Amino acid sequence: SLKMASDSPESLMTLCTDYCLRNLEGTLCYLLDNETLRLHPDIFLPSEICDKLVNEYVELVKTDSIFEPHESFFTLFSDPRSTRLARIHLREQIVQDQDLEAIRKQDLVELYLTNCEKLTAKSLQTLVSFSHTLISLSLFGCCNIFYEEENPGGCEDDCLVNPTRQVLVKDFTFEGFSRLRFLNLGRLIEGVNVETLLRPLASLAALDLSGIQLNDVGFLTQWKDSLVSLVLYNMDLSEEHIQVIAQLHKLRHLDISRDHLSSYYKFKLTRRVLNLFVENLVNLTSLDISGHTMLENCTIPSMEEKMGQTSTEPAKSSIAPFRGLKRPLQFLGLFETSLCRLTHIPAYKVSGDKNEEQVLNAIEAYTEHRPEITSRAINLLFDIARIERCSQLLRALQLVITALKCHKDDKNIQVTGSAALFYLTNSEYRMEQSVKLRRQVIQVVLNGMESYQEVTVQRNCCLTLCNFSIPEELEFQYRRVNELLLNILNQSRQDESIQRIAVHLCNALVCQVDNDHKEAVGKMGFVMTMLKLIQKKLADKTCDQVMEFSWSALWNITDETPDNCEMFLNYSGMKLFLECLKEFPEKQELHRNMLGLLGNVAEVKELRPQLMTSQFISVFSNLLESKADGIEVSYNACGVLSHIMFDGPEAWGICEPHREEVVKRMWAAIQSWDINSRRNINYRSFEPILRLLPQGISPVSQHWATWALYNLVSVYPDKYCPLLIKEGGIPLLKDMIKMASARQETKEMARKVIEHCSNFKEENMDTSR
């Protein structure tokens, strides 16, 4: 089944190819003169491996922004004695004349060049060197390959006045290409004489002339005994064309479809034309008439239609001319025609817009060469995914991923594709998707964000990322995703909704990750970006989600990460903290986030002197009385002060307020809290709390730490009892109980913590025999 196919891991061949391409120097090659790649002299690779290396290389350059292309890559395959190439597919700007030139000695059997706009007539000459072996050739969209540069003056000085101009090559033909059977000349430049070009080919089997206007196609009859596939997409047809096509009696695949938006077509399809095809083209198994307007009614009147089960039997066909078919077609293209909505269509696979199956068939059939049609088909899929439930989820996802990869620079596909991905990855489909598939989605989403600074694409991509478990599912692209989000947030003109989603994602990405990740993201400018956002919101006097998420993100990224705490102080974080408190005195959520962050700063001994000012200490002392967010604000303020008290009286470098007065207020605050409070906090480690236990200089800090542990192990025993035991908290509590300086109530509480943990241990002992 498709599910199994998508779930299967990459083959060893694919993994090795990928590894070699990413590490050419350490595997197959060495660097000559520190710049040119050379193959190791003892390497001999067969075509199965070489073809894959070249084709995967093109794919990587196109779809992986981290992968660096090599100037001299194609020269590795210049000598057929050590490397063999047979079937290669090259795309877009990646390939230049010198690349083809480098492999001219290879005996290529199949060469697909798709939209390689950098190739010029120099490459036509290179093609001749493959002429004796080529069976399949595609020059689709290679719009400059019939142009050469001509220097009209010939002399040096004249060139400055008359720069080189592009001249169409008229004398090239496929003379000598004796084995060529399959040829795609789609979107060939006007002015090239197709008939002259093709005449030397003895026995063409497949020809694609998409997007070329030819008034006379009579020359096609020279292949009436060999041509099995003919594609005339977007050619404006006439009666003469139809008569010629009807003579090509060997045809199995005929495509006369068109993009009904692209231009005005005089030709209208009639019942007679379809009858003509059915009568004369007896081998036909695939027909595409998408985008055509039907001039007269081809459909069977509904009263004559045999209802009941939909049928692919030609005899029951709702399209009258197809009742003459000997057997159902394998494929019938009816996209953007009225016929696709009929009941009985005599074909196993139909492209159209009636339902999910037809739409997916359309995306599958047109993605490679017809992005203009594909984007409209993906738009239909988007509606299906949004309004109904997709029944072929994996196929839909894979087709959208392929389209987004294939047309990285096509705005329409990027917009519709990224929107469809949002609906196809949401939680209701989650169970059906493998890790591999979800990673592919993340890759194309990040590619889209990288290539397009366009608002809709950026928003769609950010929203799609929200469908993933963060940070876990994004960890394999951690640096890149953070860079892209920070890049969005640092843009001067910012769409409000994107900003909100991006800050939310940033916050989620730094929550519950290792400290080295947090440090790396801090170095990328994360702290600075968040503070800038906060400053902007302060200036506008707005406290919205962006403001709250930004403080929350700073709280997360400074957790046990001293470098980021220091950055926060260096970039005037404390000034912003005070301004926010003053501007938004009622915003409880905001106060909690800000104080959580300052708790992290206060845990760093070297930074505490910077908190030791009358202004800050007064603010923290006053917040002890806050009832905001349950006990959270008061608890965090007390935590900050507990760490400051821990440095002893000699570190108290201010006259006002007095140390003893603050201590008194701390005791009062702790005694007012409900020990059973459910918490808005998440500890990954108790280390900063435990360090306050074995000391006599500040009994109140000791008490705060003990209260914190007691609250957490009683309200969330499953999570925090094991953590306390693992981090060696029990012996520290036992030692503290023996200390003379510790207060009686602190010792009582410590005993309860120990008791809780030992009960928890006993309950969870495995007693099964």
Side-chain angles (χ1 to χ4, degrees):
S1 79
L2 189 65
K3 181 167 171 54
M4 295 318 294
S6 83
D7 274 352
S8 57
E10 298 288 6
S11 69
L12 189 56
M13 173 77 153
T14 303
L15 292 170
C16 292
T17 308
D18 187 72
Y19 183 80
C20 289
L21 288 170
R22 290 177 192 278
N23 303 280
L24 278 170
E25 219 188 307
T27 53
L28 306 172
C29 307
Y30 63 96
L31 267 189
L32 185 69
D33 311 329
N34 273 343
E35 51 178 357
T36 317
L37 277 175
R38 282 277 189 272
L39 216 54
H40 284 299
D42 53 351
I43 282 181
F44 302 93
L45 299 172
S47 60
E48 293 80 359
I49 291 177
C50 293
D51 290 350
K52 200 156 170 64
L53 282 167
V54 169
N55 296 334
E56 285 298 315
Y57 171 81
V58 171
E59 182 73 6
L60 278 175
V61 173
K62 203 170 151 356
T63 60
D64 189 335
S65 63
I66 302 158
F67 183 78
E68 284 294 317
H70 294 278
E71 193 92 334
S72 52
F73 177 76
F74 285 90
T75 58
L76 300 177
F77 304 92
S78 56
D79 186 350
R81 288 170 304 185
S82 55
T83 51
R84 291 283 169 89
L85 287 173
R87 295 178 166 79
I88 57 173
H89 300 206
L90 310 178
R91 302 186 69 91
E92 293 165 33
Q93 321 309 350
I94 300 162
V95 192
Q96 306 191 29
D97 291 327
Q98 62 266 28
D99 298 325
L100 273 190
E101 172 72 13
I103 57 170
R104 71 183 186 286
K105 292 183 182 160
Q106 293 286 356
D107 292 339
L108 292 184
V109 175
E110 187 176 287
L111 175 60
Y112 291 164
L113 302 169
T114 308
N115 296 325
C116 300
E117 293 175 7
K118 285 196 173 173
L119 297 182
T120 69
K122 288 191 185 119
S123 287
L124 280 183
Q125 295 316 309
T126 309
L127 286 183
V128 176
S129 47
F130 307 129
S131 61
H132 58 295
T133 53
L134 266 187
I135 293 174
S136 289
L137 173 65
S138 168
L139 301 177
F140 182 88
C142 299
C143 51
N144 294 310
I145 200 163
F146 279 87
Y147 279 117
E148 62 185 345
E149 288 181 354
E150 187 182 71
N151 176 355
C155 78
E156 292 300 314
D157 300 333
D158 200 25
C159 301
L160 302 173
V161 189
N162 272 322
T164 56
R165 60 195 174 107
Q166 301 280 310
V167 184
L168 197 60
V169 172
K170 295 263 174 82
D171 56 357
F172 178 83
T173 73
F174 285 111
E175 186 68 57
F177 285 73
S178 55
R179 304 180 64 182
L180 199 59
R181 297 282 178 278
F182 304 90
L183 181 60
N184 184 340
L185 295 175
R187 306 218 332 257
L188 185 70
I189 202 79
E190 271 182 48
V192 176
N193 186 323
V194 178
E195 183 177 350
T196 316
L197 186 66
L198 299 181
R199 192 178 295 126
L201 297 174
S203 45
L204 263 185
L207 181 61
D208 187 327
L209 299 173
S210 294
I212 304 172
Q213 292 311 324
L214 293 178
N215 296 327
D216 179 12
V217 290
F219 65 91
L220 292 176
T221 55
Q222 67 174 304
W223 299 294
K224 67 180 193 302
D225 296 329
S226 63
L227 207 60
V228 292
S229 169
L230 178 64
V231 178
L232 304 177
Y233 169 69
N234 268 356
M235 188 182 286
D236 199 9
L237 304 169
S238 65
E239 185 53 38
E240 288 74 33
H241 287 80
I242 299 301
Q243 291 306 325
V244 169
I245 292 169
Q247 295 175 53
L248 304 174
H249 62 100
K250 285 280 175 66
L251 278 185
R252 292 205 291 270
H253 171 60
L254 172 63
D255 183 344
I256 52 165
S257 64
R258 61 192 191 191
D259 175 0
H260 75 104
L261 298 182
S262 68
S263 62
Y264 173 71
Y265 291 105
K266 296 182 289 297
F267 180 79
K268 304 279 191 288
L269 207 50
T270 62
R271 188 171 183 152
R272 183 187 60 79
V273 170
L274 289 182
N275 276 326
L276 195 66
F277 288 165
V278 170
E279 283 162 29
N280 290 281
L281 309 177
V282 292
N283 299 311
L284 211 58
T285 60
S286 165
L287 174 66
D288 203 330
I289 52 172
S290 294
H292 275 281
T293 314
M294 304 303 294
L295 196 57
E296 64 211 37
N297 198 354
C298 281
T299 58
I300 301 289
S302 52
M303 49 258 237
E304 286 178 36
E305 257 193 328
K306 293 188 176 63
M307 290 323 270
Q309 247 358 77
T310 56
S311 170
T312 56
E313 274 179 53
K316 292 183 183 169
S317 171
S318 304
I319 307 166
F322 293 150
R323 288 196 161 182
L325 287 167
K326 302 276 182 292
R327 59 196 162 278
L329 293 169
Q330 294 296 321
F331 176 83
L332 178 58
L334 300 176
F335 190 68
E336 294 179 323
T337 68
S338 54
L339 300 178
C340 69
R341 295 192 191 87
L342 298 171
T343 313
H344 303 304
I345 301 176
Y348 297 118
K349 212 173 199 177
V350 178
S351 74
D353 47 36
K354 175 183 171 184
N355 54 30
E356 182 185 349
E357 171 68 22
Q358 286 189 1
V359 167
L360 292 178
N361 290 340
I363 299 172
E364 189 168 45
Y366 309 129
T367 288
E368 175 80 36
H369 293 125
R370 301 176 195 176
E372 61 284 2
I373 307 280
T374 307
S375 70
R376 302 206 291 272
I378 292 176
N379 211 19
L380 292 166
L381 175 66
F382 162 74
D383 282 335
I384 294 167
R386 186 171 55 97
I387 300 158
E388 309 162 33
R389 189 185 154 82
C390 268
S391 54
Q392 301 183 46
L393 172 76
L394 295 175
R395 182 177 175 216
L397 252 183
Q398 282 162 331
L399 288 172
V400 173
I401 290 170
T402 303
L404 285 165
K405 274 180 160 181
C406 190
H407 300 288
K408 200 174 160 188
D409 303 320
D410 184 301
K411 184 184 159 187
N412 290 335
I413 284 194
Q414 291 299 322
V415 170
T416 55
S418 57
L421 280 185
F422 170 68
Y423 285 102
L424 292 170
T425 52
N426 70 16
S427 51
E428 64 168 313
Y429 297 128
R430 183 62 190 277
M431 294 309 294
E432 302 170 43
Q433 297 164 10
S434 66
V435 172
K436 179 173 151 189
L437 195 60
R438 286 178 75 81
R439 284 192 167 194
Q440 285 177 341
V441 173
I442 291 164
Q443 294 274 28
V444 291
V445 164
L446 298 182
N447 287 342
M449 286 168 75
E450 228 152 30
S451 311
Y452 274 88
Q453 299 310 313
E454 204 271 339
V455 173
T456 324
V457 176
Q458 295 274 357
R459 188 187 300 111
N460 291 348
C461 290
C462 284
L463 281 169
T464 302
L465 290 178
C466 294
N467 287 335
F468 290 82
S469 301
I470 304 172
E472 301 81 17
E473 287 193 278
L474 296 183
E475 205 144 359
F476 79 109
Q477 291 281 297
Y478 196 77
R479 273 195 78 90
R480 186 174 170 213
V481 74
N482 274 296
E483 272 167 7
L484 285 167
L485 290 168
L486 292 179
N487 189 26
I488 287 176
L489 291 171
N490 282 321
Q491 286 162 15
S492 48
R493 285 175 50 241
Q494 193 42 264
D495 175 274
E496 187 64 36
S497 62
I498 297 185
Q499 197 179 54
R500 194 171 58 248
I501 307 160
V503 176
H504 161 72
L505 284 166
C506 279
N507 188 16
L509 277 161
V510 291
C511 186
Q512 301 291 304
V513 289
D514 294 342
N515 293 13
D516 52 351
H517 273 335
K518 289 182 190 175
E519 275 175 26
V521 176
K523 289 193 178 81
M524 282 179 205
F526 188 101
V527 177
M528 176 83 118
T529 303
M530 294 302 147
L531 289 170
K532 268 194 212 148
L533 289 173
I534 291 166
Q535 200 156 17
K536 217 157 155 278
K537 291 292 171 190
L538 249 175
D540 301 342
K541 297 192 175 344
T542 34
C543 178
D544 55 6
Q545 281 187 311
V546 171
M547 174 71 107
E548 285 180 9
F549 283 155
S550 299
W551 279 109
S552 177
L554 287 171
W555 181 5
N556 282 319
I557 201 172
T558 51
D559 177 36
E560 295 190 38
T561 315
D563 288 4
N564 292 341
C565 293
E566 188 172 5
M567 248 183 260
F568 169 79
L569 293 177
N570 290 347
Y571 298 141
S572 321
M574 290 303 287
K575 181 169 163 285
L576 284 178
F577 160 68
L578 293 173
E579 285 172 5
C580 284
L581 266 184
K582 194 167 154 217
E583 185 64 50
F584 310 110
E586 300 306 312
K587 294 287 185 183
Q588 303 196 354
E589 188 78 357
L590 185 70
H591 295 185
R592 171 175 75 101
N593 292 345
M594 295 196 303
L595 273 152
L597 152 67
L598 290 181
N600 292 338
V601 177
E603 287 170 11
V604 185
K605 187 174 173 50
E606 299 72 37
L607 302 179
R608 285 201 282 271
Q610 295 190 52
L611 304 179
M612 198 65 239
T613 71
S614 290
Q615 189 185 21
F616 292 151
I617 298 294
S618 299
V619 167
F620 298 141
S621 303
N622 292 336
L623 286 168
L624 287 169
E625 268 103 70
S626 164
K627 293 284 172 274
D629 202 12
I631 66 165
E632 296 305 326
V633 170
S634 175
Y635 171 88
N636 280 319
C638 200
V640 171
L641 291 167
S642 293
H643 287 289
I644 291 171
M645 293 294 169
F646 175 62
D647 291 335
E650 62 280 2
W652 199 266
I654 52 172
C655 306
E656 281 292 319
H658 289 300
R659 189 169 185 269
E660 287 67 40
E661 185 196 323
V662 177
V663 168
K664 215 156 82 194
R665 290 177 79 175
M666 286 167 73
W667 278 109
I670 301 171
Q671 275 149 352
S672 74
W673 302 336
D674 173 6
I675 197 65
N676 297 313
S677 302
R678 297 196 70 74
R679 303 305 305 285
N680 241 329
I681 200 158
N682 186 4
Y683 282 102
R684 290 189 310 136
S685 161
F686 281 147
E687 197 279 322
I689 294 179
L690 295 176
R691 73 172 83 133
L692 298 176
L693 293 178
Q695 49 92 19
I697 206 153
S698 170
V700 72
S701 305
Q702 215 172 29
H703 192 65
W704 175 82
T706 313
W707 190 96
L709 295 174
Y710 184 34
N711 164 256
L712 293 166
V713 297
S714 33
V715 180
Y716 307 102
D718 292 354
K719 180 169 184 186
Y720 290 120
C721 286
L723 185 63
L724 185 60
I725 294 164
K726 180 174 151 238
E727 296 197 335
I730 306 297
L732 285 172
L733 287 162
K734 284 180 175 167
D735 288 349
M736 188 258 285
I737 293 169
K738 294 176 196 154
M739 284 173 74
S741 60
R743 289 270 285 264
Q744 205 46 47
E745 56 200 292
T746 312
K747 295 181 178 183
E748 278 306 309
M749 207 173 263
R751 286 192 186 94
K752 287 180 183 162
V753 176
I754 296 167
E755 195 180 328
H756 251 292
C757 287
S758 59
N759 289 346
F760 175 82
K761 252 178 114 168
E762 277 167 29
E763 273 169 36
N764 288 279
M765 285 282 281
D766 187 2
T767 50
S768 56
R769 283 282 171 267

